[in-house]
Amino acid sequence: MASFNDFANLCLALSQTQSRLQIAALAAEFLNRIGRAEAPAAARFMVGRALPQGAEKPLNVSGRAIWKIAAEIAGAEDQGEEIFAAATDFGEAIEMALKRRADTPEPTLTIAEVESEFAAIASIEGRNSRRLKLDALRGLLRRATPLEAKFLAKILIGEMRHGMSEGLMLEALAAMAARPIAEVRRINMVEGDVGRTLLRLTATGGASSIAASTAEINEAGGDKAATPANASGDHALPTDAAPRPLKPMLAQPAANVADAFRILGGPFALEHKLDGARVQIHSGPFGVRIWSRRLNEITRSLPEVIETIGRLAGRRAIFDGEVIAIDPGGRPLAFQDVMRRFGRVREVERMRAERPVRLFVFDLIGLDGNLLIDEPYERRYAALAGLAESAGLERAGRIIPDSIADGTQFFARAIADGYEGVMAKALASPYTPGARGRGWLKIKQARTLDLTIVAAEWGYGRRHGWLSNYHLAARDPNRGGFVEVGKTFKGLTDEDFREMTDRLLALKIEERRGVVVVRPEIVVEVAYSDIQRSPQYDGGMALRFARIVGVRSDKSTDEADTIDAVAAAFDRQALKPLGAP
Ligand code: AMP
């Protein structure tokens, strides 16, 4: 069994290494050394994932809880401020606290034990689950050395800060398995998890491509129906009983329909963009299972969707779609209302009665045991239409525009009908899981950006006692980190403020003169009137009349808008002729 202390020391070494190549080499060397049983978990931990992607139950352990337990073990409850002021990050704060412990344990934890402890914490459910989860976490931290605790904490909050991203991990795996990086990326697209990708790459016999390795699995599973549909690149899905979600395909923003014609350069469809929440639904002999955009399993929360897709009577298929919540009058409700249904396991039926959801499917990613990701959208859509017709599934409204005028009219009507905008999809485009491919464009009417909250200010007057003025930032993909582009306290209800204050305090890094700096984790959709040049902000731009229109709990900060998107929105408004809407 591999020692978790060795893993912690590796992470320490990674954080002291500048060169990407060397980081990848160190990681590959470590994974090679520890063997196949523990390497998948180690690969996941290295990229800041405690559980395999798509795990059914989340950990639900906050940074605040980890700190409380560590402080309690070390008897450092009243030293938090001092420790956080001196520590460079959260993990270091935990390490510093545990160094003050009188009885530091010897390193005995193994990677396998940490993996099974994390799984055990995630599996705790029911009445006393919060307390039981914290008890289990306490047991783990008690056994950890300060250095081990530092990295346990970092994995749990998903912030390693040692330069090992998922992309770099794939490079390490490619080096380790002596396979081309493109192939490894592709396997990871299908597997959606670096640990499973590693397993697939190191499968005994060394399969030379995904097609071959899936075929192996099929043989092992004895399911002859699931052979590839053609030899040119269709992939058979593993036929084991547990279906696994793929990362959803993402879209790039486009300004308008004319832009879509220019960017896509070939025939495309326009579909209504529904303002709901993304779902991926798998149907098969195992029944129906549903995942959210962030690949959390939400099967038990959406019985309506299970009933709808249940009409396929166990036929194997993977759908991509959107669910919207509707009020008793049949009108669509706000995005927040759909999200309240996601992940709910108690009182599901009562919530269903209050806020039923409706499913709209827009893509078919798998059928009868074959992955369709390499098929052009046109063919996937034709198959989707056939299935939808036979099973009575609703689809998003759609046209194939033959001119800019035609498409612009469809867009204008979509906005008038209350849709968020339209999606433009190239007919020839493959389905690129997890990637913002060039095949899909989103065209929205409203001026909104998805920004990350990086700090908040204590409110006064009516908002006294709440964190209320939020510092909004855009991701900087080139230099890393976030760039502030505005502040707002508008758009939230009192209940939202209360909830947000709790969430932000759990993410607090430090407090300076009434400004609470938080770990960048919460993404909000922000409407604004325009973007101004502003020397006060590092990025040189500031949003005017910013207002929060929703909390995007379905998006991670990686998916939030970048500073380049803010700059592009700024350029677009600058280019607009005077008097244009
Ligand atoms: P955004 O959330 O602004 O990045 O826009 C992309 C999201 O729009 C997707 O993740 C889906 O949840 C949603 N969406 C709504 N309607 C469609 C559609 N017809 N096709 C694809 N995505 C859609």
Side-chain angles (χ1 to χ4, degrees), residues 248-251 271-279 293 321-322 362 396 420 423 425 436 440 442 444 450 552 554-555:
M249 177 163 171
L250 305 172
E271 291 178 7
H272 286 152
K273 186 172 191 303
L274 300 142
D275 191 11
R278 186 91 174 253
V279 283
R293 174 183 178 136
E322 189 92 349
F362 50 71
E420 202 190 355
M423 302 287 293
K425 300 183 176 177
R436 219 168 273 289
W440 286 12
K442 53 184 176 191
K444 294 202 234 179
D450 292 332
R552 294 298 309 253
D554 62 325
K555 279 198 175 180

Side-chain angles (χ1 to χ4, degrees), residues 426-483:
L427 296 187
S429 61
Y431 191 95
T432 50
R436 219 168 273 289
R438 237 164 289 154
W440 286 12
L441 302 174
K442 53 184 176 191
I443 309 173
K444 294 202 234 179
Q445 170 80 328
R447 289 180 172 175
T448 66
L449 286 164
D450 292 332
L451 299 172
T452 302
I453 300 182
V454 292
E457 293 167 23
W458 287 109
Y460 46 87
R462 200 174 61 78
R463 294 188 306 277
H464 178 79
W466 298 333
L467 285 171
S468 73
N469 204 12
Y470 304 117
H471 295 214
L472 307 164
R475 201 157 54 80
D476 185 341
N478 306 315
R479 283 186 289 174
F482 292 84
V483 185

Side-chain angles (χ1 to χ4, degrees), residues 48 86 90 188 300 309 314 316 367 372 424 572:
F90 182 74
N188 194 57
R300 287 186 287 173
I309 297 296
R316 284 176 71 92
L367 185 64
L372 302 181
R572 272 204 302 276

Side-chain angles (χ1 to χ4, degrees), residues 119-286:
I121 294 174
S123 71
I124 296 170
E125 282 189 311
R127 273 175 148 262
N128 296 320
S129 62
R130 215 184 122 62
R131 187 173 54 72
L132 294 172
K133 275 176 192 271
L134 297 188
D135 286 348
L137 182 62
R138 188 174 295 110
L140 186 60
L141 283 182
R142 261 192 213 291
R143 290 186 52 201
T145 65
L147 183 71
E148 288 175 331
K150 170 180 184 170
F151 288 101
L152 286 173
K154 281 171 167 272
I155 296 166
L156 285 166
I157 66 165
E159 199 179 89
M160 302 305 287
R161 293 217 187 158
H162 55 199
M164 173 53 90
S165 60
E166 181 168 319
L168 191 51
M169 174 56 75
L170 297 182
E171 287 177 33
L173 296 184
M176 183 184 153
R179 299 276 188 77
I181 180 67
E183 184 192 332
V184 174
R185 287 204 188 107
R186 222 187 122 71
I187 295 178
N188 194 57
M189 270 186 186
V190 177
E191 295 293 340
D193 173 78
V194 292
R196 284 194 297 266
T197 297
L198 183 151
L199 269 189
R200 184 57 69 85
L201 283 168
T202 54
T204 34
S208 62
S209 70
I210 326 175
S213 57
T214 33
E216 268 174 24
I217 290 179
N218 289 333
E219 263 167 43
D223 184 344
K224 298 290 176 273
T227 45
N230 61 45
S232 69
D234 252 348
H235 302 302
L237 292 169
T239 52
D240 44 11
R244 284 193 301 257
L246 287 84
K247 293 186 182 171
M249 177 163 171
L250 305 172
Q252 289 185 0
N256 49 40
V257 172
D259 235 25
F261 270 95
R262 192 177 51 76
I263 297 170
L264 298 176
F268 61 88
L270 286 176
E271 291 178 7
H272 286 152
K273 186 172 191 303
L274 300 142
D275 191 11
R278 186 91 174 253
V279 283
Q280 187 178 116
I281 312 155
H282 293 229
S283 149
F286 47 82

Side-chain angles (χ1 to χ4, degrees), residues 73 100-106 142:
I73 293 175
R100 303 184 179 194
R101 211 178 148 174
D103 53 338
T104 307
E106 288 297 310
R142 261 192 213 291

Side-chain angles (χ1 to χ4, degrees), residues 476-498:
D476 185 341
N478 306 315
R479 283 186 289 174
F482 292 84
V483 185
E484 284 192 32
V485 292
K487 291 183 201 176
T488 191
F489 52 81
K490 298 211 173 77
L492 296 186
T493 63
D494 289 2
E495 194 191 331
D496 293 334
F497 275 128
R498 240 171 254 132

Side-chain angles (χ1 to χ4, degrees), residues 16-62:
Q16 290 158 353
T17 308
Q18 291 291 322
S19 140
R20 292 181 85 246
L21 268 182
Q22 213 173 341
I23 291 179
L26 282 173
E29 191 273 323
F30 182 84
L31 294 172
N32 242 332
R33 182 154 50 82
I34 64 173
R36 217 167 161 255
E38 288 173 298
R44 250 173 236 137
F45 294 168
M46 256 186 257
V47 298
R49 288 207 146 269
L51 301 173
Q53 182 86 258
E56 181 171 8
K57 292 165 193 151
L59 274 162
N60 280 341
V61 172
S62 70

